[in-house]
Amino acid sequence: MSLIFRSNRLFTLGVQLAKSNLIPNKQFSISHRLAQLKFTNQHEWVKVNGNIGTIGITDYAQDKLGEVVYLELPEVGAEFEQSSQFATLESVKAVSECYIPVSGKVVEVNEPLKDNPSTVNSSPLEEGWLAKVELTNPAEIDKLMDQNQYEEFLKSDDH
Amino acid sequence: MSKLVRVLNVGRLEYDKCLKIQQHFLAQNLSQPDSNTLILVEHEPVYTIGLRKQTYPDEYLEKLKNLGAQVKKTDRGGLITFHGPGQLVAYPLLNLKNFKPSLRWYVSRLEETVIDLCQVNFDLKAYRMCSTGYTGVWCNDAKIAAIGIYAKRLVTYHGLSLNCDVDLKWFSNIVPCGITDKSVSSLSKIMNKKLGIKQIEPMLLNSFSRVFDCDLEIENEEQVQNLVNKLAG
């Protein structure tokens, strides 16, 4: 089923981009589309590549937390439903929960982060990633915010 | 409209019983967003450990129990500390969405509450130390208040403890908050006069209300007792 889902997207995307003349290389644009960055209103992000989502917290979140001094990451193999707590971060004297943006099974966690937890602050969207999951419900991605929507959300009063 | 925080002064209450009360209000705050509550309590002697429990081996914790205190593992931030008679403990159960959705801001406001208390009532210069690991409130290079909190979807629990006239010898059995090169003090020791919890409580409430820009509604004794019996009896 996922193959059909992907090939539909490829077809639609290819047609759109061919018309726009913006990105001539269809191959590049497809992988760009598949490696999409999405956000939740709890300030987590997920970068989806194929069926794997890399997850972390946003720059806004790390700023509001303060310097991370300790973290608890999930076990590889653990499964989570969307929005459930999957990790815990301790910043100075304050522990807070991280909620998973998409349902999935953990395939990798960022082990080096345990020795350098402040990487979450210095590089929240790159080296400070927390875990990678194999998506169990890829359709959930569509309901998350893209970068523009997230930036609008931050400007609103509701965050 | 000003934010309202309900104050429950539970008096002297053992740690676990008070934790049940905290958990009740935590749950309430998660389902009814405007249920901000501030619990004031004086605990029976207890050493508590934060999230990083692996820092403390079991033999070490057994030794502490033999000194006549309970030992409790918690999920709050921070390392090991002591709570006991003569120390005012405050547990704000706040929904930070009603205030400012930032833990860093919240921790600094807790510090500011104590700093304000010292300034306004005693003309005492208490201060925060901004480097990591030195959170809390300091005076004359000694720590007078410790902080350790947990936030679930921006709803806080655990809180702060302020040394009024607590017996400081309890702290000599631990490395408080993991800080090896500083000592612990109390308001009584610094001011060189007895300043008990009863005197400090109204001062703390005053400063809290000012620093958090909120109104306080103090629950009467009978209602508090009913609540304690119901939740922690």
mmCIF file of all heavy atoms in Angstrom, chain B residues 43-91:
data_model
loop_
_atom_site.group_PDB
_atom_site.id
_atom_site.type_symbol
_atom_site.label_atom_id
_atom_site.label_comp_id
_atom_site.label_asym_id
_atom_site.label_seq_id
_atom_site.Cartn_x
_atom_site.Cartn_y
_atom_site.Cartn_z
ATOM 1 N N HIS B 43 7.652 19.286 55.828
ATOM 2 C CA HIS B 43 7.728 17.818 55.797
ATOM 3 C C HIS B 43 8.373 17.243 57.043
ATOM 4 O O HIS B 43 9.176 17.915 57.703
ATOM 5 C CB HIS B 43 8.550 17.363 54.590
ATOM 6 C CG HIS B 43 7.824 17.488 53.282
ATOM 7 N ND1 HIS B 43 6.545 17.041 53.104
ATOM 8 C CD2 HIS B 43 8.219 18.002 52.094
ATOM 9 C CE1 HIS B 43 6.165 17.272 51.861
ATOM 10 N NE2 HIS B 43 7.165 17.854 51.213
ATOM 11 N N GLU B 44 8.069 15.979 57.318
ATOM 12 C CA GLU B 44 8.871 15.206 58.277
ATOM 13 C C GLU B 44 10.218 14.987 57.595
ATOM 14 O O GLU B 44 10.296 15.031 56.360
ATOM 15 C CB GLU B 44 8.201 13.844 58.539
ATOM 16 C CG GLU B 44 6.771 13.928 59.071
ATOM 17 C CD GLU B 44 6.691 14.557 60.445
ATOM 18 O OE1 GLU B 44 7.724 14.664 61.140
ATOM 19 O OE2 GLU B 44 5.580 14.967 60.843
ATOM 20 N N PRO B 45 11.294 14.720 58.360
ATOM 21 C CA PRO B 45 12.622 14.625 57.730
ATOM 22 C C PRO B 45 12.669 13.631 56.572
ATOM 23 O O PRO B 45 12.277 12.478 56.718
ATOM 24 C CB PRO B 45 13.525 14.166 58.881
ATOM 25 C CG PRO B 45 12.837 14.641 60.115
ATOM 26 C CD PRO B 45 11.368 14.550 59.821
ATOM 27 N N VAL B 46 13.094 14.123 55.423
ATOM 28 C CA VAL B 46 13.167 13.279 54.224
ATOM 29 C C VAL B 46 14.259 13.784 53.283
ATOM 30 O O VAL B 46 14.418 14.982 53.090
ATOM 31 C CB VAL B 46 11.791 13.241 53.498
ATOM 32 C CG1 VAL B 46 11.348 14.637 53.048
ATOM 33 C CG2 VAL B 46 11.804 12.293 52.309
ATOM 34 N N TYR B 47 15.033 12.839 52.754
ATOM 35 C CA TYR B 47 15.961 13.161 51.679
ATOM 36 C C TYR B 47 15.272 12.778 50.374
ATOM 37 O O TYR B 47 14.714 11.683 50.272
ATOM 38 C CB TYR B 47 17.266 12.360 51.823
ATOM 39 C CG TYR B 47 18.123 12.802 52.988
ATOM 40 C CD1 TYR B 47 18.160 12.073 54.179
ATOM 41 C CD2 TYR B 47 18.906 13.967 52.900
ATOM 42 C CE1 TYR B 47 18.945 12.493 55.249
ATOM 43 C CE2 TYR B 47 19.685 14.385 53.964
ATOM 44 C CZ TYR B 47 19.696 13.653 55.133
ATOM 45 O OH TYR B 47 20.470 14.067 56.196
ATOM 46 N N THR B 48 15.286 13.673 49.404
ATOM 47 C CA THR B 48 14.675 13.330 48.119
ATOM 48 C C THR B 48 15.713 13.426 47.009
ATOM 49 O O THR B 48 16.632 14.247 47.056
ATOM 50 C CB THR B 48 13.478 14.240 47.768
ATOM 51 O OG1 THR B 48 13.949 15.575 47.542
ATOM 52 C CG2 THR B 48 12.424 14.246 48.857
ATOM 53 N N ILE B 49 15.518 12.524 46.038
ATOM 54 C CA ILE B 49 16.440 12.456 44.900
ATOM 55 C C ILE B 49 15.662 12.775 43.637
ATOM 56 O O ILE B 49 14.495 12.418 43.538
ATOM 57 C CB ILE B 49 17.004 11.031 44.806
ATOM 58 C CG1 ILE B 49 17.810 10.721 46.067
ATOM 59 C CG2 ILE B 49 17.898 10.845 43.599
ATOM 60 C CD1 ILE B 49 17.983 9.263 46.282
ATOM 61 N N GLY B 50 16.316 13.407 42.694
ATOM 62 C CA GLY B 50 15.647 13.765 41.456
ATOM 63 C C GLY B 50 15.726 12.690 40.390
ATOM 64 O O GLY B 50 16.081 11.535 40.669
ATOM 65 N N LEU B 51 15.447 13.089 39.156
ATOM 66 C CA LEU B 51 15.367 12.163 38.033
ATOM 67 C C LEU B 51 16.621 11.309 37.874
ATOM 68 O O LEU B 51 16.558 10.135 37.542
ATOM 69 C CB LEU B 51 15.104 12.968 36.755
ATOM 70 C CG LEU B 51 14.820 12.190 35.492
ATOM 71 C CD1 LEU B 51 13.451 11.530 35.573
ATOM 72 C CD2 LEU B 51 14.867 13.105 34.273
ATOM 73 N N ARG B 52 17.790 11.891 38.109
ATOM 74 C CA ARG B 52 19.058 11.181 37.890
ATOM 75 C C ARG B 52 19.366 10.270 39.074
ATOM 76 O O ARG B 52 20.356 10.420 39.778
ATOM 77 C CB ARG B 52 20.190 12.182 37.672
ATOM 78 C CG ARG B 52 20.135 12.839 36.312
ATOM 79 C CD ARG B 52 21.132 13.964 36.198
ATOM 80 N NE ARG B 52 20.569 15.223 36.646
ATOM 81 C CZ ARG B 52 21.269 16.342 36.784
ATOM 82 N NH1 ARG B 52 22.560 16.355 36.526
ATOM 83 N NH2 ARG B 52 20.682 17.460 37.184
ATOM 84 N N LYS B 53 18.469 9.271 39.277
ATOM 85 C CA LYS B 53 18.571 8.423 40.473
ATOM 86 C C LYS B 53 19.841 7.585 40.504
ATOM 87 O O LYS B 53 20.314 7.230 41.571
ATOM 88 C CB LYS B 53 17.355 7.484 40.522
ATOM 89 C CG LYS B 53 16.047 8.245 40.617
ATOM 90 C CD LYS B 53 14.890 7.318 40.388
ATOM 91 C CE LYS B 53 13.573 8.059 40.377
ATOM 92 N NZ LYS B 53 13.489 9.228 39.523
ATOM 93 N N GLN B 54 20.382 7.278 39.332
ATOM 94 C CA GLN B 54 21.541 6.381 39.265
ATOM 95 C C GLN B 54 22.771 6.997 39.924
ATOM 96 O O GLN B 54 23.743 6.318 40.190
ATOM 97 C CB GLN B 54 21.866 5.999 37.812
ATOM 98 C CG GLN B 54 22.219 7.171 36.902
ATOM 99 C CD GLN B 54 21.013 7.833 36.269
ATOM 100 O OE1 GLN B 54 19.903 7.761 36.799
ATOM 101 N NE2 GLN B 54 21.209 8.486 35.140
ATOM 102 N N THR B 55 22.699 8.306 40.201
ATOM 103 C CA THR B 55 23.820 8.983 40.860
ATOM 104 C C THR B 55 24.042 8.447 42.283
ATOM 105 O O THR B 55 25.120 8.596 42.847
ATOM 106 C CB THR B 55 23.527 10.505 40.929
ATOM 107 O OG1 THR B 55 23.014 10.942 39.677
ATOM 108 C CG2 THR B 55 24.765 11.306 41.260
ATOM 109 N N TYR B 56 23.000 7.858 42.870
ATOM 110 C CA TYR B 56 23.060 7.467 44.290
ATOM 111 C C TYR B 56 22.883 5.966 44.481
ATOM 112 O O TYR B 56 21.798 5.441 44.321
ATOM 113 C CB TYR B 56 21.989 8.241 45.073
ATOM 114 C CG TYR B 56 22.158 9.734 44.901
ATOM 115 C CD1 TYR B 56 21.359 10.438 44.002
ATOM 116 C CD2 TYR B 56 23.164 10.433 45.571
ATOM 117 C CE1 TYR B 56 21.544 11.793 43.799
ATOM 118 C CE2 TYR B 56 23.357 11.792 45.379
ATOM 119 C CZ TYR B 56 22.555 12.459 44.487
ATOM 120 O OH TYR B 56 22.745 13.796 44.279
ATOM 121 N N PRO B 57 23.979 5.279 44.878
ATOM 122 C CA PRO B 57 23.865 3.826 45.082
ATOM 123 C C PRO B 57 23.007 3.489 46.300
ATOM 124 O O PRO B 57 22.900 4.290 47.234
ATOM 125 C CB PRO B 57 25.313 3.380 45.304
ATOM 126 C CG PRO B 57 26.083 4.598 45.637
ATOM 127 C CD PRO B 57 25.329 5.789 45.161
ATOM 128 N N ASP B 58 22.430 2.293 46.290
ATOM 129 C CA ASP B 58 21.515 1.880 47.354
ATOM 130 C C ASP B 58 22.130 1.897 48.744
ATOM 131 O O ASP B 58 21.457 2.237 49.718
ATOM 132 C CB ASP B 58 20.947 0.481 47.053
ATOM 133 C CG ASP B 58 19.952 0.534 45.900
ATOM 134 O OD1 ASP B 58 19.380 1.618 45.676
ATOM 135 O OD2 ASP B 58 19.753 -0.501 45.227
ATOM 136 N N GLU B 59 23.423 1.536 48.839
ATOM 137 C CA GLU B 59 24.069 1.498 50.174
ATOM 138 C C GLU B 59 24.091 2.899 50.770
ATOM 139 O O GLU B 59 23.916 3.083 51.973
ATOM 140 C CB GLU B 59 25.526 1.003 50.105
ATOM 141 C CG GLU B 59 25.771 -0.236 49.284
ATOM 142 C CD GLU B 59 25.959 0.059 47.809
ATOM 143 O OE1 GLU B 59 26.942 0.742 47.435
ATOM 144 O OE2 GLU B 59 25.100 -0.402 47.035
ATOM 145 N N TYR B 60 24.317 3.885 49.911
ATOM 146 C CA TYR B 60 24.365 5.276 50.357
ATOM 147 C C TYR B 60 22.994 5.687 50.879
ATOM 148 O O TYR B 60 22.872 6.322 51.934
ATOM 149 C CB TYR B 60 24.794 6.151 49.168
ATOM 150 C CG TYR B 60 24.757 7.634 49.420
ATOM 151 C CD1 TYR B 60 25.736 8.251 50.201
ATOM 152 C CD2 TYR B 60 23.750 8.423 48.869
ATOM 153 C CE1 TYR B 60 25.701 9.623 50.423
ATOM 154 C CE2 TYR B 60 23.721 9.785 49.086
ATOM 155 C CZ TYR B 60 24.695 10.378 49.859
ATOM 156 O OH TYR B 60 24.655 11.733 50.081
ATOM 157 N N LEU B 61 21.950 5.289 50.157
ATOM 158 C CA LEU B 61 20.588 5.647 50.559
ATOM 159 C C LEU B 61 20.189 4.945 51.860
ATOM 160 O O LEU B 61 19.498 5.527 52.695
ATOM 161 C CB LEU B 61 19.600 5.311 49.436
ATOM 162 C CG LEU B 61 19.870 5.999 48.092
ATOM 163 C CD1 LEU B 61 18.842 5.585 47.054
ATOM 164 C CD2 LEU B 61 19.902 7.503 48.213
ATOM 165 N N GLU B 62 20.654 3.717 52.055
ATOM 166 C CA GLU B 62 20.383 2.984 53.308
ATOM 167 C C GLU B 62 20.986 3.728 54.490
ATOM 168 O O GLU B 62 20.382 3.845 55.551
ATOM 169 C CB GLU B 62 20.975 1.563 53.256
ATOM 170 C CG GLU B 62 20.138 0.564 52.495
ATOM 171 C CD GLU B 62 18.701 0.475 52.988
ATOM 172 O OE1 GLU B 62 18.490 0.347 54.217
ATOM 173 O OE2 GLU B 62 17.783 0.572 52.158
ATOM 174 N N LYS B 63 22.187 4.221 54.299
ATOM 175 C CA LYS B 63 22.878 4.967 55.368
ATOM 176 C C LYS B 63 22.062 6.191 55.774
ATOM 177 O O LYS B 63 21.952 6.523 56.948
ATOM 178 C CB LYS B 63 24.262 5.427 54.891
ATOM 179 C CG LYS B 63 25.367 4.465 55.296
ATOM 180 C CD LYS B 63 26.720 4.705 54.691
ATOM 181 C CE LYS B 63 27.300 6.067 54.885
ATOM 182 N NZ LYS B 63 28.607 6.201 54.190
ATOM 183 N N LEU B 64 21.476 6.859 54.781
ATOM 184 C CA LEU B 64 20.678 8.055 55.067
ATOM 185 C C LEU B 64 19.420 7.677 55.858
ATOM 186 O O LEU B 64 19.018 8.387 56.771
ATOM 187 C CB LEU B 64 20.279 8.763 53.768
ATOM 188 C CG LEU B 64 21.403 9.439 52.973
ATOM 189 C CD1 LEU B 64 20.851 10.060 51.701
ATOM 190 C CD2 LEU B 64 22.122 10.490 53.794
ATOM 191 N N LYS B 65 18.834 6.522 55.511
ATOM 192 C CA LYS B 65 17.621 6.082 56.228
ATOM 193 C C LYS B 65 17.946 5.837 57.690
ATOM 194 O O LYS B 65 17.148 6.110 58.585
ATOM 195 C CB LYS B 65 17.073 4.787 55.610
ATOM 196 C CG LYS B 65 16.289 4.998 54.349
ATOM 197 C CD LYS B 65 15.640 3.703 53.880
ATOM 198 C CE LYS B 65 15.301 3.811 52.408
ATOM 199 N NZ LYS B 65 15.057 2.539 51.752
ATOM 200 N N ASN B 66 19.170 5.342 57.948
ATOM 201 C CA ASN B 66 19.557 5.044 59.325
ATOM 202 C C ASN B 66 19.754 6.309 60.166
ATOM 203 O O ASN B 66 19.901 6.223 61.386
ATOM 204 C CB ASN B 66 20.855 4.214 59.352
ATOM 205 C CG ASN B 66 20.617 2.820 58.800
ATOM 206 O OD1 ASN B 66 19.501 2.316 58.846
ATOM 207 N ND2 ASN B 66 21.660 2.198 58.269
ATOM 208 N N LEU B 67 19.766 7.429 59.532
ATOM 209 C CA LEU B 67 19.914 8.691 60.255
ATOM 210 C C LEU B 67 18.574 9.224 60.737
ATOM 211 O O LEU B 67 18.512 10.292 61.345
ATOM 212 C CB LEU B 67 20.579 9.740 59.346
ATOM 213 C CG LEU B 67 22.006 9.417 58.914
ATOM 214 C CD1 LEU B 67 22.452 10.361 57.814
ATOM 215 C CD2 LEU B 67 22.958 9.508 60.091
ATOM 216 N N GLY B 68 17.502 8.511 60.441
ATOM 217 C CA GLY B 68 16.188 8.922 60.944
ATOM 218 C C GLY B 68 15.355 9.695 59.948
ATOM 219 O O GLY B 68 14.347 10.301 60.294
ATOM 220 N N ALA B 69 15.778 9.689 58.683
ATOM 221 C CA ALA B 69 14.985 10.377 57.665
ATOM 222 C C ALA B 69 14.465 9.359 56.673
ATOM 223 O O ALA B 69 15.050 8.301 56.501
ATOM 224 C CB ALA B 69 15.843 11.414 56.940
ATOM 225 N N GLN B 70 13.363 9.693 56.023
ATOM 226 C CA GLN B 70 12.922 8.856 54.895
ATOM 227 C C GLN B 70 13.817 9.194 53.705
ATOM 228 O O GLN B 70 14.476 10.242 53.698
ATOM 229 C CB GLN B 70 11.479 9.209 54.538
ATOM 230 C CG GLN B 70 10.478 8.851 55.608
ATOM 231 C CD GLN B 70 9.072 9.232 55.160
ATOM 232 O OE1 GLN B 70 8.831 10.304 54.623
ATOM 233 N NE2 GLN B 70 8.132 8.342 55.358
ATOM 234 N N VAL B 71 13.802 8.309 52.727
ATOM 235 C CA VAL B 71 14.520 8.594 51.486
ATOM 236 C C VAL B 71 13.537 8.344 50.346
ATOM 237 O O VAL B 71 12.944 7.276 50.264
ATOM 238 C CB VAL B 71 15.767 7.692 51.330
ATOM 239 C CG1 VAL B 71 16.407 7.909 49.967
ATOM 240 C CG2 VAL B 71 16.786 7.972 52.420
ATOM 241 N N LYS B 72 13.330 9.339 49.499
ATOM 242 C CA LYS B 72 12.346 9.198 48.419
ATOM 243 C C LYS B 72 12.952 9.524 47.068
ATOM 244 O O LYS B 72 13.668 10.517 46.927
ATOM 245 C CB LYS B 72 11.169 10.165 48.655
ATOM 246 C CG LYS B 72 10.417 9.932 49.946
ATOM 247 C CD LYS B 72 9.577 8.677 49.884
ATOM 248 C CE LYS B 72 8.988 8.358 51.257
ATOM 249 N NZ LYS B 72 8.353 7.052 51.314
ATOM 250 N N LYS B 73 12.642 8.672 46.097
ATOM 251 C CA LYS B 73 13.094 8.932 44.728
ATOM 252 C C LYS B 73 11.946 9.632 44.007
ATOM 253 O O LYS B 73 10.802 9.186 44.080
ATOM 254 C CB LYS B 73 13.416 7.603 44.036
ATOM 255 C CG LYS B 73 14.582 6.885 44.674
ATOM 256 C CD LYS B 73 14.928 5.594 43.970
ATOM 257 C CE LYS B 73 16.087 4.913 44.684
ATOM 258 N NZ LYS B 73 16.441 3.627 44.079
ATOM 259 N N THR B 74 12.254 10.713 43.337
ATOM 260 C CA THR B 74 11.210 11.478 42.659
ATOM 261 C C THR B 74 11.571 11.661 41.188
ATOM 262 O O THR B 74 12.649 11.244 40.762
ATOM 263 C CB THR B 74 11.052 12.880 43.287
ATOM 264 O OG1 THR B 74 12.084 13.733 42.794
ATOM 265 C CG2 THR B 74 11.121 12.843 44.801
ATOM 266 N N ASP B 75 10.671 12.330 40.465
ATOM 267 C CA ASP B 75 10.947 12.569 39.044
ATOM 268 C C ASP B 75 11.289 14.032 38.764
ATOM 269 O O ASP B 75 11.373 14.448 37.621
ATOM 270 C CB ASP B 75 9.735 12.143 38.194
ATOM 271 C CG ASP B 75 8.439 12.786 38.687
ATOM 272 O OD1 ASP B 75 8.485 13.637 39.594
ATOM 273 O OD2 ASP B 75 7.371 12.427 38.153
ATOM 274 N N ARG B 76 11.526 14.791 39.787
ATOM 275 C CA ARG B 76 11.780 16.223 39.571
ATOM 276 C C ARG B 76 13.201 16.457 39.052
ATOM 277 O O ARG B 76 14.059 15.579 39.093
ATOM 278 C CB ARG B 76 11.606 16.992 40.896
ATOM 279 C CG ARG B 76 12.540 16.507 41.986
ATOM 280 C CD ARG B 76 12.782 17.530 43.075
ATOM 281 N NE ARG B 76 13.529 16.972 44.200
ATOM 282 C CZ ARG B 76 14.846 16.757 44.201
ATOM 283 N NH1 ARG B 76 15.570 17.039 43.130
ATOM 284 N NH2 ARG B 76 15.445 16.248 45.271
ATOM 285 N N GLY B 77 13.461 17.683 38.634
ATOM 286 C CA GLY B 77 14.820 18.061 38.246
ATOM 287 C C GLY B 77 15.668 18.269 39.493
ATOM 288 O O GLY B 77 15.142 18.392 40.603
ATOM 289 N N GLY B 78 16.960 18.319 39.307
ATOM 290 C CA GLY B 78 17.854 18.525 40.444
ATOM 291 C C GLY B 78 18.320 17.200 41.023
ATOM 292 O O GLY B 78 17.806 16.134 40.683
ATOM 293 N N LEU B 79 19.284 17.252 41.935
ATOM 294 C CA LEU B 79 19.872 16.043 42.513
ATOM 295 C C LEU B 79 19.266 15.771 43.894
ATOM 296 O O LEU B 79 18.061 15.709 44.040
ATOM 297 C CB LEU B 79 21.393 16.153 42.513
ATOM 298 C CG LEU B 79 21.996 16.196 41.097
ATOM 299 C CD1 LEU B 79 23.466 16.557 41.115
ATOM 300 C CD2 LEU B 79 21.786 14.881 40.374
ATOM 301 N N ILE B 80 20.126 15.625 44.923
ATOM 302 C CA ILE B 80 19.623 15.247 46.239
ATOM 303 C C ILE B 80 19.456 16.477 47.111
ATOM 304 O O ILE B 80 20.251 17.415 47.066
ATOM 305 C CB ILE B 80 20.565 14.219 46.918
ATOM 306 C CG1 ILE B 80 19.907 13.612 48.164
ATOM 307 C CG2 ILE B 80 21.919 14.826 47.251
ATOM 308 C CD1 ILE B 80 20.633 12.397 48.716
ATOM 309 N N THR B 81 18.388 16.479 47.915
ATOM 310 C CA THR B 81 18.238 17.542 48.890
ATOM 311 C C THR B 81 17.496 17.021 50.120
ATOM 312 O O THR B 81 17.065 15.871 50.144
ATOM 313 C CB THR B 81 17.537 18.779 48.286
ATOM 314 O OG1 THR B 81 17.714 19.882 49.167
ATOM 315 C CG2 THR B 81 16.050 18.530 48.086
ATOM 316 N N PHE B 82 17.351 17.884 51.114
ATOM 317 C CA PHE B 82 16.687 17.499 52.362
ATOM 318 C C PHE B 82 15.478 18.397 52.592
ATOM 319 O O PHE B 82 15.506 19.602 52.313
ATOM 320 C CB PHE B 82 17.677 17.645 53.525
ATOM 321 C CG PHE B 82 17.016 17.469 54.871
ATOM 322 C CD1 PHE B 82 16.755 16.194 55.363
ATOM 323 C CD2 PHE B 82 16.630 18.571 55.636
ATOM 324 C CE1 PHE B 82 16.127 16.018 56.586
ATOM 325 C CE2 PHE B 82 16.002 18.403 56.861
ATOM 326 C CZ PHE B 82 15.739 17.124 57.341
ATOM 327 N N HIS B 83 14.411 17.806 53.113
ATOM 328 C CA HIS B 83 13.247 18.582 53.561
ATOM 329 C C HIS B 83 12.944 18.154 54.975
ATOM 330 O O HIS B 83 13.043 16.960 55.298
ATOM 331 C CB HIS B 83 12.011 18.295 52.703
ATOM 332 C CG HIS B 83 12.214 18.589 51.256
ATOM 333 N ND1 HIS B 83 12.653 19.802 50.790
ATOM 334 C CD2 HIS B 83 12.019 17.816 50.155
ATOM 335 C CE1 HIS B 83 12.731 19.759 49.472
ATOM 336 N NE2 HIS B 83 12.359 18.571 49.057
ATOM 337 N N GLY B 84 12.552 19.109 55.831
ATOM 338 C CA GLY B 84 12.242 18.710 57.204
ATOM 339 C C GLY B 84 11.716 19.861 58.013
ATOM 340 O O GLY B 84 11.463 20.959 57.486
ATOM 341 N N PRO B 85 11.517 19.637 59.303
ATOM 342 C CA PRO B 85 10.977 20.680 60.172
ATOM 343 C C PRO B 85 11.821 21.944 60.121
ATOM 344 O O PRO B 85 13.055 21.882 60.108
ATOM 345 C CB PRO B 85 11.045 20.016 61.561
ATOM 346 C CG PRO B 85 11.036 18.556 61.289
ATOM 347 C CD PRO B 85 11.770 18.367 60.007
ATOM 348 N N GLY B 86 11.149 23.075 60.052
ATOM 349 C CA GLY B 86 11.867 24.345 59.994
ATOM 350 C C GLY B 86 12.158 24.802 58.584
ATOM 351 O O GLY B 86 12.796 25.838 58.362
ATOM 352 N N GLN B 87 11.697 24.005 57.604
ATOM 353 C CA GLN B 87 11.912 24.397 56.215
ATOM 354 C C GLN B 87 10.552 24.536 55.548
ATOM 355 O O GLN B 87 9.723 23.628 55.612
ATOM 356 C CB GLN B 87 12.729 23.323 55.505
ATOM 357 C CG GLN B 87 13.138 23.706 54.087
ATOM 358 C CD GLN B 87 13.596 22.492 53.304
ATOM 359 O OE1 GLN B 87 12.796 21.641 52.937
ATOM 360 N NE2 GLN B 87 14.883 22.407 53.019
ATOM 361 N N LEU B 88 10.316 25.682 54.923
ATOM 362 C CA LEU B 88 9.043 25.914 54.246
ATOM 363 C C LEU B 88 9.143 25.411 52.811
ATOM 364 O O LEU B 88 10.004 25.857 52.045
ATOM 365 C CB LEU B 88 8.711 27.408 54.262
ATOM 366 C CG LEU B 88 7.440 27.837 53.526
ATOM 367 C CD1 LEU B 88 6.206 27.118 54.061
ATOM 368 C CD2 LEU B 88 7.250 29.354 53.643
ATOM 369 N N VAL B 89 8.269 24.476 52.481
ATOM 370 C CA VAL B 89 8.267 23.926 51.123
ATOM 371 C C VAL B 89 7.030 24.442 50.395
ATOM 372 O O VAL B 89 5.931 24.446 50.949
ATOM 373 C CB VAL B 89 8.270 22.380 51.171
ATOM 374 C CG1 VAL B 89 8.165 21.807 49.767
ATOM 375 C CG2 VAL B 89 9.542 21.870 51.840
ATOM 376 N N ALA B 90 7.218 24.877 49.166
ATOM 377 C CA ALA B 90 6.108 25.404 48.362
ATOM 378 C C ALA B 90 6.024 24.631 47.063
ATOM 379 O O ALA B 90 7.021 24.496 46.340
ATOM 380 C CB ALA B 90 6.336 26.882 48.066
ATOM 381 N N TYR B 91 4.855 24.085 46.778
ATOM 382 C CA TYR B 91 4.641 23.335 45.530
ATOM 383 C C TYR B 91 3.605 24.075 44.688
ATOM 384 O O TYR B 91 2.400 23.919 44.917
ATOM 385 C CB TYR B 91 4.116 21.922 45.830
ATOM 386 C CG TYR B 91 5.068 21.014 46.583
ATOM 387 C CD1 TYR B 91 4.643 20.300 47.699
ATOM 388 C CD2 TYR B 91 6.390 20.834 46.158
ATOM 389 C CE1 TYR B 91 5.502 19.434 48.378
ATOM 390 C CE2 TYR B 91 7.256 19.976 46.827
ATOM 391 C CZ TYR B 91 6.807 19.286 47.940
ATOM 392 O OH TYR B 91 7.658 18.433 48.606
#
